[in-house]
Amino acid sequence: LPDMAASQWTKNIVHMALPRGISLTVYRWGNYLDLRIQMQPLPGGQDGSCGNFNGDAADDTTQAVFERIGARIGQGEMLFTQRAPIEFTKQMEEMLRNDCTADDLIASQQKCQKELPQAASTMMMNSCIYDQCFGMNEHALRSAEVYSTAEERDELGIVKAEE
């Protein structure tokens, strides 16, 4: 398992052997995915969500990756033909209002205004701000469950700590 936090759910695991000796393991949970990528460094280097493979874990934090390559995948760099729909739920709005510090909120807004196109929708902007505020949170599930309803937790099979 990627970590012990995920051990409470049934395991749904997909193993893939890809070209260039790349091994990908997908752990499918009720409300998110974890990935394990095993590979050798690519010629010419690489960078992305998993870091830059230079052997320095200190520059592989989510914040460092966002600073190097941004929080969104460029249109010409997408692996798939379309993006997943962008959502900004009432729970995300409440979490942003209550748990993103004023300084982080301002910094996130400025970064998103710089990164997103001028015509970005309010939904896209809010989603970007949310990602900037909480993208550094290893398991946002722990925070997000505070704002979820019992019905939403039941739907996803999540048991809240005090339940």
Side-chain angles (χ1 to χ4, degrees), residues 95-112:
M95 191 171 160
L96 196 57
R97 187 174 48 249
N98 293 333
D99 295 338
C100 187
T101 67
D103 289 343
D104 286 343
L105 186 59
I106 290 168
S108 296
Q109 289 170 332
Q110 290 172 344
K111 186 153 184 111
C112 291

PDB file of all heavy atoms in Angstrom, residues 95-112:
ATOM      1  N   MET A  95     -14.328  24.672   2.922  1.00  0.00           N
ATOM      2  CA  MET A  95     -12.970  24.326   3.352  1.00  0.00           C
ATOM      3  C   MET A  95     -11.995  25.456   3.023  1.00  0.00           C
ATOM      4  O   MET A  95     -11.142  25.816   3.829  1.00  0.00           O
ATOM      5  CB  MET A  95     -12.544  23.030   2.672  1.00  0.00           C
ATOM      6  CG  MET A  95     -11.297  22.420   3.209  1.00  0.00           C
ATOM      7  SD  MET A  95     -11.104  20.782   2.455  1.00  0.00           S
ATOM      8  CE  MET A  95      -9.369  20.534   2.729  1.00  0.00           C
ATOM      9  N   LEU A  96     -12.143  26.035   1.838  1.00  0.00           N
ATOM     10  CA  LEU A  96     -11.293  27.152   1.425  1.00  0.00           C
ATOM     11  C   LEU A  96     -11.488  28.341   2.355  1.00  0.00           C
ATOM     12  O   LEU A  96     -10.521  28.948   2.825  1.00  0.00           O
ATOM     13  CB  LEU A  96     -11.624  27.532  -0.022  1.00  0.00           C
ATOM     14  CG  LEU A  96     -10.651  28.382  -0.791  1.00  0.00           C
ATOM     15  CD1 LEU A  96      -9.280  27.749  -0.838  1.00  0.00           C
ATOM     16  CD2 LEU A  96     -11.156  28.611  -2.209  1.00  0.00           C
ATOM     17  N   ARG A  97     -12.742  28.638   2.660  1.00  0.00           N
ATOM     18  CA  ARG A  97     -13.065  29.769   3.536  1.00  0.00           C
ATOM     19  C   ARG A  97     -12.524  29.558   4.952  1.00  0.00           C
ATOM     20  O   ARG A  97     -11.997  30.470   5.575  1.00  0.00           O
ATOM     21  CB  ARG A  97     -14.579  29.966   3.551  1.00  0.00           C
ATOM     22  CG  ARG A  97     -15.058  31.203   4.279  1.00  0.00           C
ATOM     23  CD  ARG A  97     -16.562  31.450   4.158  1.00  0.00           C
ATOM     24  NE  ARG A  97     -17.389  30.279   4.418  1.00  0.00           N
ATOM     25  CZ  ARG A  97     -18.111  29.633   3.502  1.00  0.00           C
ATOM     26  NH1 ARG A  97     -18.117  30.040   2.250  1.00  0.00           N
ATOM     27  NH2 ARG A  97     -18.831  28.577   3.812  1.00  0.00           N
ATOM     28  N   ASN A  98     -12.627  28.328   5.465  1.00  0.00           N
ATOM     29  CA  ASN A  98     -12.264  28.069   6.865  1.00  0.00           C
ATOM     30  C   ASN A  98     -10.815  27.667   7.094  1.00  0.00           C
ATOM     31  O   ASN A  98     -10.279  27.918   8.178  1.00  0.00           O
ATOM     32  CB  ASN A  98     -13.166  26.971   7.439  1.00  0.00           C
ATOM     33  CG  ASN A  98     -14.600  27.412   7.555  1.00  0.00           C
ATOM     34  OD1 ASN A  98     -14.894  28.594   7.689  1.00  0.00           O
ATOM     35  ND2 ASN A  98     -15.507  26.462   7.479  1.00  0.00           N
ATOM     36  N   ASP A  99     -10.181  27.012   6.111  1.00  0.00           N
ATOM     37  CA  ASP A  99      -8.872  26.399   6.370  1.00  0.00           C
ATOM     38  C   ASP A  99      -7.713  26.942   5.542  1.00  0.00           C
ATOM     39  O   ASP A  99      -6.578  26.544   5.763  1.00  0.00           O
ATOM     40  CB  ASP A  99      -8.962  24.889   6.181  1.00  0.00           C
ATOM     41  CG  ASP A  99      -9.872  24.227   7.200  1.00  0.00           C
ATOM     42  OD1 ASP A  99     -10.094  24.818   8.270  1.00  0.00           O
ATOM     43  OD2 ASP A  99     -10.360  23.115   6.920  1.00  0.00           O
ATOM     44  N   CYS A 100      -7.971  27.795   4.579  1.00  0.00           N
ATOM     45  CA  CYS A 100      -6.883  28.394   3.806  1.00  0.00           C
ATOM     46  C   CYS A 100      -6.575  29.749   4.442  1.00  0.00           C
ATOM     47  O   CYS A 100      -7.453  30.615   4.483  1.00  0.00           O
ATOM     48  CB  CYS A 100      -7.296  28.559   2.339  1.00  0.00           C
ATOM     49  SG  CYS A 100      -5.956  29.113   1.268  1.00  0.00           S
ATOM     50  N   THR A 101      -5.370  29.923   4.938  1.00  0.00           N
ATOM     51  CA  THR A 101      -5.027  31.175   5.614  1.00  0.00           C
ATOM     52  C   THR A 101      -5.147  32.347   4.638  1.00  0.00           C
ATOM     53  O   THR A 101      -5.056  32.157   3.417  1.00  0.00           O
ATOM     54  CB  THR A 101      -3.598  31.141   6.175  1.00  0.00           C
ATOM     55  OG1 THR A 101      -2.671  31.098   5.077  1.00  0.00           O
ATOM     56  CG2 THR A 101      -3.380  29.947   7.106  1.00  0.00           C
ATOM     57  N   ALA A 102      -5.332  33.538   5.174  1.00  0.00           N
ATOM     58  CA  ALA A 102      -5.477  34.737   4.339  1.00  0.00           C
ATOM     59  C   ALA A 102      -4.264  34.910   3.423  1.00  0.00           C
ATOM     60  O   ALA A 102      -4.414  35.204   2.234  1.00  0.00           O
ATOM     61  CB  ALA A 102      -5.687  35.968   5.212  1.00  0.00           C
ATOM     62  N   ASP A 103      -3.058  34.707   3.965  1.00  0.00           N
ATOM     63  CA  ASP A 103      -1.837  34.848   3.150  1.00  0.00           C
ATOM     64  C   ASP A 103      -1.791  33.807   2.031  1.00  0.00           C
ATOM     65  O   ASP A 103      -1.448  34.127   0.885  1.00  0.00           O
ATOM     66  CB  ASP A 103      -0.592  34.720   4.024  1.00  0.00           C
ATOM     67  CG  ASP A 103      -0.382  35.926   4.933  1.00  0.00           C
ATOM     68  OD1 ASP A 103      -0.988  36.994   4.688  1.00  0.00           O
ATOM     69  OD2 ASP A 103       0.395  35.797   5.903  1.00  0.00           O
ATOM     70  N   ASP A 104      -2.143  32.550   2.361  1.00  0.00           N
ATOM     71  CA  ASP A 104      -2.150  31.496   1.344  1.00  0.00           C
ATOM     72  C   ASP A 104      -3.219  31.767   0.290  1.00  0.00           C
ATOM     73  O   ASP A 104      -3.011  31.521  -0.902  1.00  0.00           O
ATOM     74  CB  ASP A 104      -2.395  30.126   1.975  1.00  0.00           C
ATOM     75  CG  ASP A 104      -1.187  29.599   2.728  1.00  0.00           C
ATOM     76  OD1 ASP A 104      -0.071  30.116   2.511  1.00  0.00           O
ATOM     77  OD2 ASP A 104      -1.364  28.661   3.538  1.00  0.00           O
ATOM     78  N   LEU A 105      -4.363  32.266   0.717  1.00  0.00           N
ATOM     79  CA  LEU A 105      -5.455  32.564  -0.210  1.00  0.00           C
ATOM     80  C   LEU A 105      -5.042  33.643  -1.206  1.00  0.00           C
ATOM     81  O   LEU A 105      -5.234  33.497  -2.420  1.00  0.00           O
ATOM     82  CB  LEU A 105      -6.703  32.983   0.559  1.00  0.00           C
ATOM     83  CG  LEU A 105      -7.973  33.185  -0.252  1.00  0.00           C
ATOM     84  CD1 LEU A 105      -8.367  31.918  -0.984  1.00  0.00           C
ATOM     85  CD2 LEU A 105      -9.106  33.645   0.654  1.00  0.00           C
ATOM     86  N   ILE A 106      -4.428  34.707  -0.707  1.00  0.00           N
ATOM     87  CA  ILE A 106      -3.977  35.798  -1.581  1.00  0.00           C
ATOM     88  C   ILE A 106      -2.910  35.296  -2.552  1.00  0.00           C
ATOM     89  O   ILE A 106      -2.976  35.555  -3.751  1.00  0.00           O
ATOM     90  CB  ILE A 106      -3.451  36.990  -0.739  1.00  0.00           C
ATOM     91  CG1 ILE A 106      -4.622  37.659  -0.021  1.00  0.00           C
ATOM     92  CG2 ILE A 106      -2.697  37.979  -1.614  1.00  0.00           C
ATOM     93  CD1 ILE A 106      -4.203  38.649   1.057  1.00  0.00           C
ATOM     94  N   ALA A 107      -1.942  34.544  -2.032  1.00  0.00           N
ATOM     95  CA  ALA A 107      -0.873  34.007  -2.887  1.00  0.00           C
ATOM     96  C   ALA A 107      -1.449  33.065  -3.940  1.00  0.00           C
ATOM     97  O   ALA A 107      -1.033  33.099  -5.107  1.00  0.00           O
ATOM     98  CB  ALA A 107       0.169  33.281  -2.035  1.00  0.00           C
ATOM     99  N   SER A 108      -2.420  32.244  -3.548  1.00  0.00           N
ATOM    100  CA  SER A 108      -3.049  31.304  -4.481  1.00  0.00           C
ATOM    101  C   SER A 108      -3.810  32.053  -5.574  1.00  0.00           C
ATOM    102  O   SER A 108      -3.734  31.694  -6.754  1.00  0.00           O
ATOM    103  CB  SER A 108      -4.001  30.375  -3.729  1.00  0.00           C
ATOM    104  OG  SER A 108      -3.301  29.580  -2.816  1.00  0.00           O
ATOM    105  N   GLN A 109      -4.557  33.082  -5.191  1.00  0.00           N
ATOM    106  CA  GLN A 109      -5.299  33.877  -6.169  1.00  0.00           C
ATOM    107  C   GLN A 109      -4.345  34.510  -7.179  1.00  0.00           C
ATOM    108  O   GLN A 109      -4.585  34.480  -8.392  1.00  0.00           O
ATOM    109  CB  GLN A 109      -6.124  34.953  -5.470  1.00  0.00           C
ATOM    110  CG  GLN A 109      -7.305  34.406  -4.718  1.00  0.00           C
ATOM    111  CD  GLN A 109      -7.975  35.442  -3.818  1.00  0.00           C
ATOM    112  OE1 GLN A 109      -7.343  36.376  -3.340  1.00  0.00           O
ATOM    113  NE2 GLN A 109      -9.263  35.247  -3.574  1.00  0.00           N
ATOM    114  N   GLN A 110      -3.245  35.084  -6.691  1.00  0.00           N
ATOM    115  CA  GLN A 110      -2.286  35.733  -7.579  1.00  0.00           C
ATOM    116  C   GLN A 110      -1.650  34.728  -8.532  1.00  0.00           C
ATOM    117  O   GLN A 110      -1.512  34.988  -9.729  1.00  0.00           O
ATOM    118  CB  GLN A 110      -1.216  36.450  -6.760  1.00  0.00           C
ATOM    119  CG  GLN A 110      -1.741  37.666  -6.040  1.00  0.00           C
ATOM    120  CD  GLN A 110      -0.743  38.268  -5.065  1.00  0.00           C
ATOM    121  OE1 GLN A 110       0.251  37.644  -4.691  1.00  0.00           O
ATOM    122  NE2 GLN A 110      -1.015  39.497  -4.642  1.00  0.00           N
ATOM    123  N   LYS A 111      -1.286  33.559  -8.006  1.00  0.00           N
ATOM    124  CA  LYS A 111      -0.659  32.531  -8.837  1.00  0.00           C
ATOM    125  C   LYS A 111      -1.631  32.032  -9.910  1.00  0.00           C
ATOM    126  O   LYS A 111      -1.260  31.882 -11.076  1.00  0.00           O
ATOM    127  CB  LYS A 111      -0.176  31.381  -7.974  1.00  0.00           C
ATOM    128  CG  LYS A 111       0.609  30.357  -8.730  1.00  0.00           C
ATOM    129  CD  LYS A 111       1.565  29.652  -7.811  1.00  0.00           C
ATOM    130  CE  LYS A 111       2.416  28.709  -8.604  1.00  0.00           C
ATOM    131  NZ  LYS A 111       3.777  29.095  -8.692  1.00  0.00           N
ATOM    132  N   CYS A 112      -2.876  31.795  -9.525  1.00  0.00           N
ATOM    133  CA  CYS A 112      -3.876  31.305 -10.485  1.00  0.00           C
ATOM    134  C   CYS A 112      -4.194  32.347 -11.548  1.00  0.00           C
ATOM    135  O   CYS A 112      -4.367  32.010 -12.721  1.00  0.00           O
ATOM    136  CB  CYS A 112      -5.145  30.859  -9.756  1.00  0.00           C
ATOM    137  SG  CYS A 112      -4.894  29.362  -8.771  1.00  0.00           S
TER     138      CYS A 112
END
